[in-house]
Amino acid sequence: MLMYDWSSRASKKRLVQQETPLNVTPVAAAPAPAPAFLASAPASENAGRFNTLAAAASEIESVGQLKRVKLWENCITGLHQQFNNVREVRDALRKYSIAQGFTVKFKKNDSMRVSVKCSVDGCPWRIFASRLSTTHLFRIKRLNEIHTCGAGTGTDSHPRASKKVVEGIVKEKLHDSPNVKPKEIANQIQQEFGIELRYSQVRRWMEAATEEIQGSYREAYNQLPWLCEKIVETNPGTAVSLNTREDLGFHRLFVAFHASLHGFQSGCRPLLFLDTMSLQSKYQSELLTAAAVDGNYGIFPVAFAIVDVVNGDNWHWFLVQLKSALPTLQPITFVADRQMALGQSISVVFENSYHAYCLRYLAEELKRDLKGPCIHEIIGVIVGHLYDAAYAPTLDAFRKCIESIKSISPEAYEWILQSEPVHWANSFFEGARYNHITSGIAESFYSWLNELTALPVTKIIDTIRHKLMELIYNRKVDSDQWITRLTPSVEDKLQKEILKAQSLQVMFSPSNTFEVQDFLGAVNVVNIDAWDCSCREWQLNGFPCSHAVAVLQHIGRDVYDYCSKFYTTEAYRLTYSESIKPVPTVDKPAPQELSEVQVLPSPLRRISGSPKKRRIRSRGVVKRPLHCSRCKGEGHNKVSCNVAY
């Protein structure tokens, strides 16, 4: 097992070795992505091999297809035309032949030269292109544009599309819309070209194209040590830790940027939300997140980790890394799912801190555990009362809510009493969570991960960094325009309390404790020195409630002096005072410079569902030969046929 720890406070990287020594060496860079419009092709194909363009014949029916094919007529413009590489030559020839309605035969097709003729015997149409010396550029050296087979004269109304051309179309669409779904691409190709493609075909081509554009998923893991070093080098103060298993398989990676750590400690409430999210990847990978809220109720990501599996050990490790990055003695309130085995780890790693259960996950547990007839008809009402009980500021209000639940379902009532309300109900909770009762606040920032196709692990990390960089910059710019003492969101909330305070009556008191009566005659007690009101809204929210506002105005004090410092514009600007720096990749090692494997991928993600069973044939039974109903060939069936219509 190997553990790499980069701590910028020490201004250098630490390598903790537990087995055999291993030096951190630069790893190979991902190969540069090819142009999106290129279809993949082998480096060399045997001379005389036919490029069977009739593999996916279809009649052009839509206007959209005609426009696209019309553009392909200009793929070959004439003698001395230049191309960036050999793949661009091949792609241009295939598209040009589709637009002109003929098939081509490759006589020479390697990394140095491409020689093509019309597949019709006796037709003089030919093209020869070769590579310019010392470059990857290709140029058409010889060209005979004359067809005697009728191509390009409109006599052939059925242009043909090869498998490679269709694959290139898929890549083009993926490049234009990275978040497009396989089914959407298949439907578009069907509408534009009349070509029917199976979902599995499109998905396979999309995976290959994504890996070509983004880089190898496997190589990305081996690039992690280099990326971690580069992040710390460009962002001093950032905490990074990378662990592998004994077989060098990826185990877990922790990242907390200096700008996030500084912002949390300088301007955010001591409140962290812990959550997890599955990453779209062919390898086992999950995302652990720790996020805060700024003074304007916006999400502020503090740290994240990518792990191979979500369990108690990885969560404990995550908290240890977070504690090391946040050396503070101030108690922190954590909002998290009670089922994530975090209770004991939080109390051990962060002493004197608090664990608030996420009510959303608690409600899901309640739904799963409740049994009985017609439970689905009343579960919504029970969950509604559960939320009311969580928000209830006083013990009396909490009791009224759960009594309502008891009248509906005694079973649900008993379940709630056993669910430790001290960890989720406002009337019992001892920590300061500022009326936040769910942990999913980070979903709004990380939701893009579920909207994208699978990305290499290095791309995931760099995209998170880029989005954090944008978020910090944009909010810093926005806050420079603010002129209020409090952030806009809190200013609006306070003004509403000031408006409600106009109808309240304050009973004079020589001490700092006052009685406040509303128009119904209800009385609340306000203690100015303790920042306390019997309604408990002041304590829960961090800014004066209407009762406190009435008292403060009555005795001539400034209401803003009694708001939490975390709600001030000054604190907000401190939160976003540090920026995340770009991470250059110009010095990323080339693949041939890779000397050894340092990090291997985590195990492949297991496909959900029961494993497929393979039937074992009895001895002596002769297998019936396969016949394809599509191309009428033998040895395969329609599903495995390479001919696409």
Side-chain angles (χ1 to χ4, degrees):
M1 183 195 306
L2 294 160
M3 296 186 294
Y4 303 85
D5 288 322
W6 288 264
S7 176
S8 41
R9 282 186 297 277
S11 300
K12 62 180 182 179
K13 177 195 67 178
R14 277 188 300 120
L15 172 61
V16 182
Q17 299 175 335
Q18 296 190 351
E19 298 268 337
T20 57
L22 178 63
N23 295 325
V24 179
T25 58
V27 297
F37 58 83
L38 296 180
S40 62
S44 172
E45 296 180 18
N46 294 331
R49 178 181 176 184
F50 283 89
N51 180 16
T52 311
L53 296 177
S58 61
E59 183 173 356
I60 302 175
E61 298 177 350
S62 68
V63 175
Q65 178 194 5
L66 289 172
K67 290 181 179 179
R68 182 183 290 268
V69 171
K70 193 70 176 177
L71 292 176
W72 289 356
E73 292 180 354
N74 298 322
C75 287
I76 302 297
T77 58
L79 194 64
H80 306 306
Q81 182 181 355
Q82 193 163 288
F83 302 88
N84 291 325
N85 50 53
V86 67
R87 289 182 297 177
E88 189 171 329
V89 177
R90 295 166 182 156
D91 188 69
L93 287 168
R94 292 180 180 118
K95 290 180 178 179
Y96 179 77
S97 65
I98 292 175
Q100 296 293 332
F102 70 99
T103 58
V104 296
K105 177 181 179 180
F106 282 82
K107 299 183 64 178
K108 301 289 184 182
N109 188 12
D110 53 42
S111 60
M112 298 298 296
R113 56 188 176 172
V114 175
S115 179
V116 184
K117 66 181 292 290
C118 179
S119 62
V120 177
D121 291 338
C123 182
W125 184 93
R126 280 171 173 76
I127 282 181
F128 175 79
S130 62
R131 197 174 82 175
L132 302 181
S133 59
T134 71
T135 72
H136 292 287
L137 300 177
F138 267 68
R139 180 178 294 168
I140 296 179
K141 303 290 184 64
R142 294 193 296 273
L143 171 62
N144 187 339
E145 298 181 285
I146 299 174
H147 274 285
T148 59
C149 61
T153 62
T155 58
D156 188 352
S157 60
H158 298 275
R160 318 278 184 184
S162 72
K163 176 181 176 182
K164 290 182 180 179
V165 171
V166 177
E167 184 177 352
I169 297 172
V170 172
K171 290 182 179 180
E172 288 180 11
K173 292 185 175 294
L174 183 63
H175 183 269
D176 295 338
S177 303
N179 300 334
V180 69
K181 305 297 182 183
K183 189 174 182 180
E184 296 173 359
I185 289 184
N187 291 338
Q188 291 173 12
I189 293 178
Q190 165 66 24
Q191 294 172 2
E192 294 180 15
F193 300 97
I195 300 174
E196 294 184 5
L197 299 175
R198 296 191 303 273
Y199 178 90
S200 58
Q201 284 179 307
V202 180
R203 183 179 180 88
R204 185 167 60 251
W205 289 336
M206 287 180 64
E207 290 177 352
T210 301
E211 186 162 330
E212 180 180 334
I213 296 171
Q214 304 291 354
S216 168
Y217 296 98
R218 185 178 183 87
E219 287 182 7
Y221 282 93
N222 207 25
Q223 295 168 2
L224 284 175
W226 178 89
L227 178 62
C228 292
E229 283 191 79
K230 206 66 181 175
I231 288 175
V232 175
E233 177 185 328
T234 55
N235 291 268
T238 297
V240 179
S241 180
L242 170 64
N243 288 10
T244 64
R245 296 190 180 276
E246 294 181 359
D247 59 356
L248 297 183
F250 174 80
H251 187 18
R252 50 201 181 190
L253 168 68
F254 174 89
V255 179
F257 288 97
H258 168 69
S260 296
L261 298 173
H262 177 271
F264 175 74
Q265 293 177 298
S266 301
C268 290
R269 290 160 275 180
L271 176 66
L272 285 174
F273 302 84
L274 306 180
D275 207 358
T276 182
M277 178 183 297
S278 293
L279 298 176
Q280 295 193 46
S281 173
K282 62 197 304 185
Y283 300 106
Q284 293 180 10
S285 53
E286 309 286 339
L287 184 71
L288 309 183
T289 64
V293 285
D294 59 32
N296 201 39
Y297 291 93
I299 179 178
F300 185 75
V302 177
F304 67 92
I306 298 177
V307 298
D308 54 357
V309 64
V310 176
N311 55 27
D313 177 62
N314 279 339
W315 267 118
H316 183 85
W317 173 83
F318 179 82
L319 291 175
V320 170
Q321 303 304 315
L322 186 62
K323 175 66 174 178
S324 176
L326 292 172
T328 177
L329 299 177
Q330 185 179 17
I332 298 177
T333 296
F334 293 89
V335 182
D337 181 11
R338 71 166 182 167
Q339 296 294 332
M340 292 195 301
L342 279 168
Q344 184 176 358
S345 295
I346 289 175
S347 60
V348 171
V349 179
F350 288 87
E351 298 179 1
N352 302 320
S353 291
Y354 304 93
H355 180 195
Y357 294 161
C358 172
L359 203 69
R360 186 185 66 177
Y361 291 118
L362 195 70
E364 293 299 323
E365 285 184 55
L366 176 61
K367 292 177 183 179
R368 290 194 302 267
D369 293 345
L370 284 185
K371 309 294 181 184
C374 303
I375 193 65
H376 63 281
E377 298 178 0
I378 60 174
I379 190 63
V381 179
I382 294 175
V383 170
H385 286 307
L386 176 66
Y387 273 81
D388 292 339
Y391 279 114
T394 63
L395 184 58
D396 288 340
F398 173 82
R399 287 172 178 167
K400 289 180 181 179
C401 294
I402 63 170
E403 286 296 328
S404 298
I405 294 175
K406 185 177 181 180
S407 64
I408 300 172
S409 171
E411 181 184 359
Y413 172 80
E414 292 297 330
W415 189 97
I416 290 173
L417 293 182
Q418 298 298 321
S419 64
E420 302 176 288
V422 68
H423 286 287
W424 56 266
N426 277 340
S427 56
F428 292 100
F429 190 67
E430 296 179 355
R433 61 178 180 177
Y434 297 86
N435 229 11
H436 291 280
I437 63 174
T438 61
S439 63
I441 189 172
E443 290 180 359
S444 60
F445 178 78
Y446 293 103
S447 59
W448 56 270
L449 286 168
N450 289 328
E451 298 171 359
L452 298 179
T453 54
L455 297 175
V457 63
T458 50
K459 189 68 174 179
I460 292 174
I461 296 169
D462 201 53
T463 307
I464 292 176
R465 179 195 60 80
H466 187 265
K467 289 186 175 293
L468 270 172
M469 185 168 61
E470 281 188 341
L471 180 143
I472 291 175
Y473 173 77
N474 291 334
R475 291 185 178 175
K476 174 180 171 55
V477 172
D478 291 342
S479 66
D480 289 340
Q481 310 301 318
W482 297 350
I483 59 175
T484 55
R485 184 170 171 181
L486 301 180
T487 62
S489 295
V490 180
E491 180 69 30
D492 291 343
K493 292 178 182 293
L494 184 60
Q495 289 301 321
K496 292 178 181 178
E497 298 299 323
I498 292 175
L499 185 62
K500 290 190 291 184
Q502 296 177 1
S503 62
L504 302 178
Q505 181 180 2
V506 179
M507 309 300 293
F508 180 77
S509 172
S511 65
N512 289 324
T513 302
F514 299 82
E515 290 185 355
V516 181
Q517 186 176 8
D518 62 20
F519 68 96
L520 295 176
V523 175
N524 281 278
V525 179
V526 177
N527 187 320
I528 298 300
D529 291 340
W531 290 29
D532 180 274
C533 180
S534 57
C535 74
R536 300 198 71 244
E537 295 292 344
W538 192 359
Q539 301 92 297
L540 292 174
N541 294 320
F543 55 86
C545 60
S546 58
H547 312 109
V549 169
V551 171
L552 293 170
Q553 290 179 334
H554 180 75
I555 62 178
R557 296 192 183 181
D558 191 346
V559 174
Y560 291 92
D561 291 339
Y562 291 84
C563 296
S564 170
K565 65 177 182 179
F566 301 113
Y567 293 139
T568 63
T569 298
E570 179 184 1
Y572 185 93
R573 289 171 178 165
L574 284 174
T575 302
Y576 297 99
S577 60
E578 296 288 334
S579 60
I580 294 179
K581 308 299 190 299
V583 178
T585 59
V586 292
D587 59 342
K588 183 183 293 186
Q592 59 268 24
E593 298 177 13
L594 182 62
S595 59
E596 60 181 328
V597 175
Q598 297 175 331
V599 183
L600 294 171
S602 52
L604 289 170
R605 189 183 296 277
R606 182 179 178 183
I607 300 176
S608 59
S610 302
K612 296 182 179 180
K613 295 181 179 180
R614 183 177 180 181
R615 182 166 61 94
I616 301 176
R617 296 180 178 272
S618 301
R619 291 184 179 180
V621 177
V622 179
K623 185 177 180 180
R624 182 174 60 87
L626 294 176
H627 293 276
C628 180
S629 61
R630 174 176 292 172
C631 69
K632 310 305 179 183
E634 295 185 356
H636 65 276
N637 56 21
K638 180 179 179 180
V639 175
S640 58
C641 183
N642 292 326
V643 178
Y645 288 92

